[in-house]
Amino acid sequence: MTCRTSPNGVFGLRIHAGHLGSLEADPYDILQAPRYIWIQRRDRLRQAVSYTMAEQTGVWILDGTFLPEGRMRAAPRYGYEEIRRHLRMLDRDAAVWEDYFGRHRVSPHTVVYEDLVADYEAGLRGCLDFLGVGAPASLPAPGIRRQADELTDEWVERFLRDRRAERPAP
């Protein structure tokens, strides 16, 4: 923590729900008055599609340092069951965080991904305010870009069609 704390006294740590059970100590117990920023997606289906594509291709972040086509393990291929599995995992992860915050009586600052994409500056300023950190006059650009594209839209539409076809008519 000493080496990774910024000059303004902030130490940041990214934790996924899956990490909580494997940590040697609960972050709440070892950090002094931790504050949590909880990033959620309003559209979990699009998140599941994104997760599926990233897992298949090995491309998790587009940061401008490389062309993803040259770094992909394989071209993504649609899989209804794989997307469904990721949807269930995302639902379980949300429940794990809700339970964690409830047990520790924590009210995290919630950032909705779609709102952050729509207004990055307002989202970032909201986080800085929550942390009690003064925002600079101008904020840096995100440094990464969205990966969603036409293929994402196609997979979402196809998944919805497949799910409707799977359900028996009333």
Side-chain angles (χ1 to χ4, degrees):
M1 285 175 56
T2 302
C3 295
R4 305 222 42 213
T5 299
S6 64
N8 63 0
V10 174
F11 169 77
L13 178 67
R14 179 176 58 182
I15 303 173
H16 293 274
H19 296 147
L20 288 174
S22 62
L23 294 173
E24 290 182 27
D26 187 326
Y28 190 84
D29 295 334
I30 60 172
L31 300 172
Q32 296 177 0
R35 296 184 190 171
Y36 293 84
I37 297 173
W38 189 17
I39 301 177
Q40 296 186 48
R41 291 277 302 251
R42 192 174 290 119
D43 188 340
R44 252 190 221 147
L45 173 55
R46 290 185 73 83
Q47 184 179 9
V49 165
S50 176
Y51 198 107
T52 301
M53 288 181 171
E55 196 172 69
Q56 288 180 8
T57 64
V59 178
W60 294 87
I61 295 175
L62 293 180
D63 62 4
T65 61
F66 63 86
L67 293 174
E69 297 81 23
R71 299 284 299 264
M72 284 187 190
R73 287 192 298 247
R77 67 199 180 295
Y78 173 82
Y80 176 76
E81 288 301 326
E82 194 172 359
I83 294 169
R84 226 171 86 164
R85 177 175 56 85
H86 285 115
L87 268 172
R88 286 190 303 268
M89 178 199 71
L90 293 167
D91 288 342
R92 279 190 311 270
D93 286 356
V96 165
W97 279 115
E98 288 169 5
D99 177 65
Y100 180 86
F101 294 139
R103 276 187 289 118
H104 293 296
R105 294 183 183 92
V106 168
S107 295
H109 175 68
T110 302
V111 175
V112 177
Y113 171 81
E114 290 85 351
D115 296 340
L116 183 63
V117 168
D119 192 347
Y120 171 75
E121 187 170 319
L124 187 54
R125 287 187 186 283
C127 290
L128 294 172
D129 288 346
F130 174 75
L131 296 172
V133 177
S138 67
L139 297 171
I144 59 174
R145 63 183 172 86
R146 288 182 70 207
Q147 295 189 68
D149 58 15
E150 298 81 29
L151 185 58
T152 304
D153 297 336
E154 290 172 23
W155 282 24
V156 166
E157 291 172 22
R158 186 171 173 187
F159 181 88
L160 292 171
R161 277 194 313 271
D162 290 350
R163 186 166 62 185
R164 280 190 300 272
E166 181 181 69
R167 292 185 178 155

